[in-house]
C-alpha cells in the first residue's frame, strides 16, 4: 500500500488530476439515487460476477478507487490494492434499433415537460430504461474488462470496485449513463 500511495503522490505531483470515489456508506447501500442503485442492482443480477462483487464492494467502501473517469463507452480507473492497478472497462454502444425501441416504449409516458425538466421521471419509464433485457444497462457480454493486476479472472476485485464506482457517480451525474 505504501508503494501505491507513493505512486499516487507522484501522479499528483506530475499534474495528474485524480477523481476518487467515495461510496454512499461504509455498510449500507453504495449508491443513493435511483440511477446509482439501479446500476448496482443490475451488476448484482448477473451470476457471472457474483464471486468478485463482494470484494469490489469492500474496496469501494474503503476508498480504494482513487481515480475514476467515465467517458462514452469507456471507464478508466486507478484502484489501490497491494499496488496501484490501472484498469479499463469498455462497453459496447447501444445499438440504434434498441435505442429506437426504448424511445418507442417510453413515448407518451412523460406526464409533463415541467416534470421532465425537474428530473421527475415516472416509475413506468424508469422500469423501461432499467429493464435487464431491453433497457439501457449493458449485459455482461457487452462489457469488456481489462486490469493490469495478476488475477486471471476478467472480473477482478479492482474492476468490481470501479463498476460500483460508476453507480456512485450516477448518483450525482445520471447523464453519464
Amino acid at each position: 500500500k505504501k508503494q501505491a500511495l507513493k505512486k499516487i503522490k507522484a501522479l499528483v505531483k506530475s499534474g495528474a488530476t485524480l477523481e476518487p470515489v467515495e461510496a454512499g456508506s461504509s455498510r449500507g447501500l453504495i449508491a443513493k439515487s435511483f440511477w446509482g442503485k439501479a446500476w448496482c442492482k443490475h451488476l448484482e443480477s448477473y451470476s457471472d460476477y457474483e464471486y468478485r462483487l463482494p470484494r469490489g464492494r469492500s474496496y469501494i467502501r474503503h476508498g480504494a478507487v482513487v481515480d475514476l473517469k467515465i467517458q462514452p463507452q469507456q471507464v478508466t480507473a486507478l484502484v489501490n490494492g497491494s499496488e496501484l492497478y490501472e484498469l479499463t472497462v469498455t462497453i459496447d454502444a447501444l445499438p440504434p434499433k434498441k435505442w429506437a425501441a426504448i424511445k418507442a416504449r417510453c413515448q407518451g409516458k412523460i406526464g409533463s415537460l415541467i416534470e421532465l425538466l425537474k428530473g421527475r421521471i415516472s416509475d413506468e419509464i424508469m422500469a423501461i430504461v432499467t429493464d435487464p433485457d431491453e433497457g439501457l444497462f449493458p449485459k455482461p457480454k457487452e462489457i469488456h474488462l481489462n486490469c493490469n493486476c495478476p488475477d486471471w479472472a476478467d472480473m477482478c476485485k479492482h474492476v468490481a470496485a470501479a463498476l460500483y464506482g460508476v453507480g456512485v457517480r450516477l448518483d450525482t451525474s445520471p447523464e453519464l449513463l
Side-chain angles (χ1 to χ4, degrees):
K1 287 187 178 184
K2 286 181 184 179
Q3 184 181 24
L5 291 173
K6 186 176 179 180
K7 190 170 183 181
I8 292 167
K9 286 181 183 180
L11 286 168
V12 171
K13 189 174 181 177
S14 71
T17 304
L18 300 180
E19 300 173 23
V21 179
E22 293 183 30
S25 86
S26 61
R27 289 189 173 244
L29 296 172
I30 289 172
K32 298 176 185 176
S33 73
F34 173 85
W35 286 109
K37 289 177 189 176
W39 174 265
C40 293
K41 181 179 177 183
H42 183 75
L43 287 177
E44 293 165 356
S45 72
Y46 293 113
S47 61
D48 303 15
Y49 300 156
E50 69 184 328
Y51 297 109
R52 301 300 175 146
L53 290 175
R55 293 295 306 273
R57 285 192 295 268
S58 177
Y59 267 50
I60 191 78
R61 286 185 173 125
H62 289 96
V65 181
V66 297
D67 186 44
L68 180 76
K69 293 184 174 60
I70 302 173
Q71 299 155 337
Q73 295 181 249
Q74 186 175 60
V75 175
T76 57
L78 295 173
V79 180
N80 194 10
S82 56
E83 294 181 28
L84 189 62
Y85 296 107
E86 299 176 30
L87 62 97
T88 304
V89 176
T90 54
I91 300 171
D92 294 346
L94 190 66
K97 285 183 179 181
K98 187 173 182 179
W99 177 236
I102 291 170
K103 290 190 301 184
R105 288 176 31 221
C106 291
Q107 193 170 12
K109 294 181 174 53
I110 296 173
S112 73
L113 185 58
I114 293 171
E115 280 184 28
L116 185 61
L117 292 172
K118 289 183 178 179
R120 296 186 192 137
I121 301 173
S122 73
D123 291 343
E124 188 176 5
I125 289 180
M126 297 311 280
I128 291 169
V129 298
T130 61
D131 180 88
D133 296 317
E134 301 299 326
L136 290 174
F137 295 140
K139 296 177 182 166
K141 67 180 182 179
E142 299 169 324
I143 303 172
H144 312 283
L145 315 169
N146 183 22
C147 182
N148 69 348
C149 76
D151 191 337
W152 56 268
D154 285 337
M155 169 63 80
C156 66
K157 58 193 170 192
H158 313 105
V159 168
L163 289 174
Y164 275 115
V166 170
V168 173
R169 288 286 164 79
L170 291 176
D171 279 348
T172 55
S173 301
E175 70 278 2
L176 291 172
L177 182 59

